[in-house]
Amino acid sequence: EQYFENRFGPVYYSFDMGNTHFIVTPMLPYKPAQASYTLKQILEWMQKDIGMQPAGKPLVIFNHSNWLWDEACTVSAGDVSIDFSSHNLKAFIYGHYHDQSTTQFDNGIRVYSTSTADKGGRHHCPSASREFSFDVGEENGVRSETIFTDINNHLVSSAYRKNGKLKVV
């Protein structure tokens, strides 16, 4: 973190591209005493940052870990809380689990995870990256294409138990 801050600036920042506002947030450390920030500080900054955007401007958030586990799409720390579904959040993009998954909540918010490009991920997930496209038109949609490493004639499967049944992927 200190290396990044010394060379590039804060570990959380935002930028606009087209008509979309992007927010990049840091991975919360396993040892909070080692970080120069807390989740509450990040959320306070995010509230101010989002508050400076025009109402309805599409929002995309990047983080190492997933913050959105259910339809509520609300993140809280202490007395600070942000309901991302009320801020036109289109996508939350993370990579912590190193797998290929996409979740779309009923409110339209999508949560994406991708394995690492150099070695794949959990459950024998193949190496890949994602290419995102963000519409500028009325739809303000997000499209994602998974791009797998160029491996020919290669098959990978994985088996695991879920709810007492064997699942094969």
mmCIF file of all heavy atoms in Angstrom, residues 1 4 7 12-13 16 34 36 38 44 46 51 59 70 74 77-78 100 103 128 130 132 134 148 151 159:
data_model
loop_
_atom_site.group_PDB
_atom_site.id
_atom_site.type_symbol
_atom_site.label_atom_id
_atom_site.label_comp_id
_atom_site.label_asym_id
_atom_site.label_seq_id
_atom_site.Cartn_x
_atom_site.Cartn_y
_atom_site.Cartn_z
ATOM 1 N N GLU A 1 0.824 -1.199 0.000
ATOM 2 C CA GLU A 1 0.000 0.000 0.000
ATOM 3 C C GLU A 1 0.864 1.258 0.000
ATOM 4 O O GLU A 1 0.638 2.173 -0.779
ATOM 5 C CB GLU A 1 -0.911 -0.025 1.224
ATOM 6 C CG GLU A 1 -1.736 1.214 1.376
ATOM 7 C CD GLU A 1 -2.517 1.204 2.669
ATOM 8 O OE1 GLU A 1 -2.993 0.138 3.092
ATOM 9 O OE2 GLU A 1 -2.630 2.280 3.264
ATOM 10 N N PHE A 4 2.448 1.857 -3.393
ATOM 11 C CA PHE A 4 1.483 2.390 -4.348
ATOM 12 C C PHE A 4 1.219 3.874 -4.075
ATOM 13 O O PHE A 4 1.255 4.698 -4.986
ATOM 14 C CB PHE A 4 0.174 1.596 -4.270
ATOM 15 C CG PHE A 4 -0.835 2.006 -5.309
ATOM 16 C CD1 PHE A 4 -0.897 1.330 -6.518
ATOM 17 C CD2 PHE A 4 -1.720 3.044 -5.079
ATOM 18 C CE1 PHE A 4 -1.823 1.698 -7.485
ATOM 19 C CE2 PHE A 4 -2.648 3.423 -6.043
ATOM 20 C CZ PHE A 4 -2.693 2.743 -7.244
ATOM 21 N N ARG A 7 3.991 6.304 -5.116
ATOM 22 C CA ARG A 7 4.223 6.456 -6.548
ATOM 23 C C ARG A 7 3.009 6.926 -7.338
ATOM 24 O O ARG A 7 3.146 7.609 -8.340
ATOM 25 C CB ARG A 7 4.742 5.146 -7.128
ATOM 26 C CG ARG A 7 6.218 4.966 -6.787
ATOM 27 C CD ARG A 7 6.631 3.523 -6.696
ATOM 28 N NE ARG A 7 8.005 3.384 -6.249
ATOM 29 C CZ ARG A 7 8.391 3.440 -4.980
ATOM 30 N NH1 ARG A 7 7.526 3.684 -4.027
ATOM 31 N NH2 ARG A 7 9.652 3.284 -4.653
ATOM 32 N N TYR A 12 -7.587 4.463 -2.964
ATOM 33 C CA TYR A 12 -8.950 4.507 -3.481
ATOM 34 C C TYR A 12 -9.125 5.812 -4.242
ATOM 35 O O TYR A 12 -8.670 6.863 -3.838
ATOM 36 C CB TYR A 12 -10.015 4.309 -2.407
ATOM 37 C CG TYR A 12 -9.852 5.047 -1.108
ATOM 38 C CD1 TYR A 12 -10.551 6.231 -0.874
ATOM 39 C CD2 TYR A 12 -9.042 4.550 -0.096
ATOM 40 C CE1 TYR A 12 -10.434 6.897 0.335
ATOM 41 C CE2 TYR A 12 -8.922 5.202 1.118
ATOM 42 C CZ TYR A 12 -9.621 6.376 1.323
ATOM 43 O OH TYR A 12 -9.497 7.032 2.520
ATOM 44 N N TYR A 13 -9.764 5.701 -5.414
ATOM 45 C CA TYR A 13 -9.872 6.845 -6.314
ATOM 46 C C TYR A 13 -11.030 6.601 -7.269
ATOM 47 O O TYR A 13 -11.599 5.501 -7.330
ATOM 48 C CB TYR A 13 -8.573 7.063 -7.090
ATOM 49 C CG TYR A 13 -8.076 5.853 -7.830
ATOM 50 C CD1 TYR A 13 -8.404 5.654 -9.171
ATOM 51 C CD2 TYR A 13 -7.277 4.896 -7.202
ATOM 52 C CE1 TYR A 13 -7.950 4.539 -9.859
ATOM 53 C CE2 TYR A 13 -6.824 3.784 -7.887
ATOM 54 C CZ TYR A 13 -7.165 3.613 -9.208
ATOM 55 O OH TYR A 13 -6.721 2.505 -9.885
ATOM 56 N N ASP A 16 -13.961 9.158 -14.504
ATOM 57 C CA ASP A 16 -15.071 9.051 -15.441
ATOM 58 C C ASP A 16 -14.541 8.619 -16.791
ATOM 59 O O ASP A 16 -13.458 9.047 -17.207
ATOM 60 C CB ASP A 16 -15.783 10.395 -15.619
ATOM 61 C CG ASP A 16 -16.514 10.827 -14.363
ATOM 62 O OD1 ASP A 16 -16.964 9.951 -13.607
ATOM 63 O OD2 ASP A 16 -16.642 12.046 -14.145
ATOM 64 N N GLN A 34 -2.507 -2.423 9.903
ATOM 65 C CA GLN A 34 -1.479 -2.201 8.898
ATOM 66 C C GLN A 34 -1.923 -1.227 7.802
ATOM 67 O O GLN A 34 -1.115 -0.776 7.011
ATOM 68 C CB GLN A 34 -1.069 -3.516 8.261
ATOM 69 C CG GLN A 34 -0.369 -4.443 9.230
ATOM 70 C CD GLN A 34 -0.004 -5.769 8.589
ATOM 71 O OE1 GLN A 34 -0.434 -6.106 7.504
ATOM 72 N NE2 GLN A 34 0.815 -6.543 9.297
ATOM 73 N N SER A 36 -3.763 2.302 6.186
ATOM 74 C CA SER A 36 -3.901 3.721 6.526
ATOM 75 C C SER A 36 -5.360 4.162 6.416
ATOM 76 O O SER A 36 -5.645 5.343 6.437
ATOM 77 C CB SER A 36 -3.028 4.560 5.584
ATOM 78 O OG SER A 36 -3.495 4.423 4.250
ATOM 79 N N THR A 38 -9.827 2.789 6.932
ATOM 80 C CA THR A 38 -10.812 1.826 7.426
ATOM 81 C C THR A 38 -11.951 1.761 6.419
ATOM 82 O O THR A 38 -12.091 2.644 5.555
ATOM 83 C CB THR A 38 -11.385 2.247 8.793
ATOM 84 O OG1 THR A 38 -12.106 3.482 8.615
ATOM 85 C CG2 THR A 38 -10.287 2.415 9.832
ATOM 86 N N GLU A 44 -17.203 6.823 3.690
ATOM 87 C CA GLU A 44 -17.419 8.275 3.807
ATOM 88 C C GLU A 44 -16.927 8.983 2.544
ATOM 89 O O GLU A 44 -17.604 9.860 2.004
ATOM 90 C CB GLU A 44 -16.706 8.831 5.040
ATOM 91 C CG GLU A 44 -17.356 8.436 6.336
ATOM 92 C CD GLU A 44 -16.531 8.793 7.566
ATOM 93 O OE1 GLU A 44 -15.298 8.999 7.440
ATOM 94 O OE2 GLU A 44 -17.122 8.851 8.651
ATOM 95 N N MET A 46 -16.596 7.583 -0.426
ATOM 96 C CA MET A 46 -17.471 7.183 -1.526
ATOM 97 C C MET A 46 -18.768 7.991 -1.526
ATOM 98 O O MET A 46 -19.256 8.388 -2.591
ATOM 99 C CB MET A 46 -17.781 5.683 -1.457
ATOM 100 C CG MET A 46 -16.606 4.803 -1.812
ATOM 101 S SD MET A 46 -16.971 3.045 -1.628
ATOM 102 C CE MET A 46 -17.727 2.703 -3.211
ATOM 103 N N GLY A 51 -21.899 11.639 -4.351
ATOM 104 C CA GLY A 51 -22.742 12.820 -4.197
ATOM 105 C C GLY A 51 -22.396 13.942 -5.164
ATOM 106 O O GLY A 51 -23.227 14.819 -5.428
ATOM 107 N N LEU A 59 -22.730 3.817 -12.463
ATOM 108 C CA LEU A 59 -21.613 3.628 -11.542
ATOM 109 C C LEU A 59 -21.103 2.202 -11.658
ATOM 110 O O LEU A 59 -21.883 1.253 -11.740
ATOM 111 C CB LEU A 59 -22.086 3.905 -10.110
ATOM 112 C CG LEU A 59 -21.124 3.635 -8.969
ATOM 113 C CD1 LEU A 59 -19.908 4.567 -9.049
ATOM 114 C CD2 LEU A 59 -21.841 3.814 -7.630
ATOM 115 N N ASP A 70 -26.119 -9.765 -1.381
ATOM 116 C CA ASP A 70 -27.547 -10.008 -1.539
ATOM 117 C C ASP A 70 -28.206 -8.835 -2.247
ATOM 118 O O ASP A 70 -27.568 -7.832 -2.547
ATOM 119 C CB ASP A 70 -28.213 -10.278 -0.186
ATOM 120 C CG ASP A 70 -28.015 -9.145 0.813
ATOM 121 O OD1 ASP A 70 -27.984 -7.965 0.400
ATOM 122 O OD2 ASP A 70 -27.897 -9.432 2.007
ATOM 123 N N THR A 74 -26.310 -3.060 0.034
ATOM 124 C CA THR A 74 -25.974 -2.020 0.999
ATOM 125 C C THR A 74 -24.715 -2.418 1.742
ATOM 126 O O THR A 74 -24.567 -3.565 2.158
ATOM 127 C CB THR A 74 -27.132 -1.815 2.005
ATOM 128 O OG1 THR A 74 -28.292 -1.403 1.274
ATOM 129 C CG2 THR A 74 -26.790 -0.770 3.042
ATOM 130 N N ALA A 77 -20.582 0.557 7.684
ATOM 131 C CA ALA A 77 -19.486 0.516 8.657
ATOM 132 C C ALA A 77 -19.793 1.601 9.681
ATOM 133 O O ALA A 77 -19.852 2.787 9.343
ATOM 134 C CB ALA A 77 -18.144 0.753 7.994
ATOM 135 N N GLY A 78 -20.006 1.190 10.924
ATOM 136 C CA GLY A 78 -20.370 2.164 11.952
ATOM 137 C C GLY A 78 -21.675 2.847 11.579
ATOM 138 O O GLY A 78 -22.653 2.198 11.224
ATOM 139 N N GLN A 100 -14.772 -17.927 -12.379
ATOM 140 C CA GLN A 100 -15.605 -17.237 -13.360
ATOM 141 C C GLN A 100 -17.033 -17.262 -12.854
ATOM 142 O O GLN A 100 -17.656 -18.320 -12.801
ATOM 143 C CB GLN A 100 -15.549 -17.947 -14.721
ATOM 144 C CG GLN A 100 -14.185 -18.187 -15.284
ATOM 145 C CD GLN A 100 -13.423 -16.905 -15.544
ATOM 146 O OE1 GLN A 100 -13.998 -15.865 -15.769
ATOM 147 N NE2 GLN A 100 -12.115 -16.992 -15.482
ATOM 148 N N THR A 103 -23.253 -12.751 -11.161
ATOM 149 C CA THR A 103 -24.531 -12.752 -10.469
ATOM 150 C C THR A 103 -25.271 -11.496 -10.881
ATOM 151 O O THR A 103 -24.680 -10.422 -10.922
ATOM 152 C CB THR A 103 -24.332 -12.727 -8.933
ATOM 153 O OG1 THR A 103 -23.585 -13.885 -8.562
ATOM 154 C CG2 THR A 103 -25.654 -12.708 -8.206
ATOM 155 N N ALA A 128 -8.042 -16.944 -17.293
ATOM 156 C CA ALA A 128 -8.881 -16.084 -18.125
ATOM 157 C C ALA A 128 -8.768 -14.637 -17.683
ATOM 158 O O ALA A 128 -8.198 -14.319 -16.642
ATOM 159 C CB ALA A 128 -10.341 -16.531 -18.031
ATOM 160 N N ARG A 130 -11.348 -10.808 -18.345
ATOM 161 C CA ARG A 130 -12.638 -10.335 -18.849
ATOM 162 C C ARG A 130 -12.443 -9.043 -19.606
ATOM 163 O O ARG A 130 -11.632 -8.203 -19.233
ATOM 164 C CB ARG A 130 -13.608 -10.060 -17.703
ATOM 165 C CG ARG A 130 -14.263 -11.271 -17.144
ATOM 166 C CD ARG A 130 -15.412 -10.849 -16.224
ATOM 167 N NE ARG A 130 -15.829 -11.945 -15.418
ATOM 168 C CZ ARG A 130 -16.859 -12.734 -15.715
ATOM 169 N NH1 ARG A 130 -17.572 -12.507 -16.786
ATOM 170 N NH2 ARG A 130 -17.180 -13.728 -14.922
ATOM 171 N N PHE A 132 -14.718 -5.866 -20.650
ATOM 172 C CA PHE A 132 -15.994 -5.217 -20.377
ATOM 173 C C PHE A 132 -16.273 -4.141 -21.407
ATOM 174 O O PHE A 132 -15.365 -3.451 -21.868
ATOM 175 C CB PHE A 132 -15.980 -4.564 -18.988
ATOM 176 C CG PHE A 132 -16.035 -5.557 -17.864
ATOM 177 C CD1 PHE A 132 -14.865 -6.018 -17.285
ATOM 178 C CD2 PHE A 132 -17.244 -6.031 -17.397
ATOM 179 C CE1 PHE A 132 -14.906 -6.932 -16.253
ATOM 180 C CE2 PHE A 132 -17.294 -6.951 -16.371
ATOM 181 C CZ PHE A 132 -16.121 -7.403 -15.793
ATOM 182 N N PHE A 134 -19.112 -0.894 -21.819
ATOM 183 C CA PHE A 134 -20.118 -0.106 -21.125
ATOM 184 C C PHE A 134 -20.841 0.747 -22.151
ATOM 185 O O PHE A 134 -20.229 1.575 -22.822
ATOM 186 C CB PHE A 134 -19.463 0.772 -20.057
ATOM 187 C CG PHE A 134 -18.671 -0.029 -19.063
ATOM 188 C CD1 PHE A 134 -17.311 -0.229 -19.235
ATOM 189 C CD2 PHE A 134 -19.286 -0.612 -17.977
ATOM 190 C CE1 PHE A 134 -16.573 -0.986 -18.338
ATOM 191 C CE2 PHE A 134 -18.556 -1.370 -17.069
ATOM 192 C CZ PHE A 134 -17.205 -1.559 -17.250
ATOM 193 N N PHE A 148 -10.550 -16.714 -22.444
ATOM 194 C CA PHE A 148 -9.743 -17.779 -21.862
ATOM 195 C C PHE A 148 -8.361 -17.801 -22.502
ATOM 196 O O PHE A 148 -8.198 -17.448 -23.664
ATOM 197 C CB PHE A 148 -10.441 -19.131 -22.037
ATOM 198 C CG PHE A 148 -11.708 -19.226 -21.248
ATOM 199 C CD1 PHE A 148 -12.935 -18.997 -21.840
ATOM 200 C CD2 PHE A 148 -11.667 -19.514 -19.898
ATOM 201 C CE1 PHE A 148 -14.104 -19.066 -21.112
ATOM 202 C CE2 PHE A 148 -12.827 -19.588 -19.147
ATOM 203 C CZ PHE A 148 -14.052 -19.360 -19.763
ATOM 204 N N ILE A 151 -5.506 -22.187 -24.977
ATOM 205 C CA ILE A 151 -5.079 -23.566 -24.756
ATOM 206 C C ILE A 151 -5.888 -24.442 -25.710
ATOM 207 O O ILE A 151 -7.113 -24.430 -25.683
ATOM 208 C CB ILE A 151 -5.330 -24.018 -23.303
ATOM 209 C CG1 ILE A 151 -4.553 -23.138 -22.330
ATOM 210 C CG2 ILE A 151 -4.966 -25.479 -23.124
ATOM 211 C CD1 ILE A 151 -4.848 -23.432 -20.880
ATOM 212 N N ALA A 159 -15.103 -31.753 -9.519
ATOM 213 C CA ALA A 159 -16.246 -32.315 -8.808
ATOM 214 C C ALA A 159 -16.191 -31.872 -7.360
ATOM 215 O O ALA A 159 -15.120 -31.792 -6.762
ATOM 216 C CB ALA A 159 -16.211 -33.840 -8.904
#
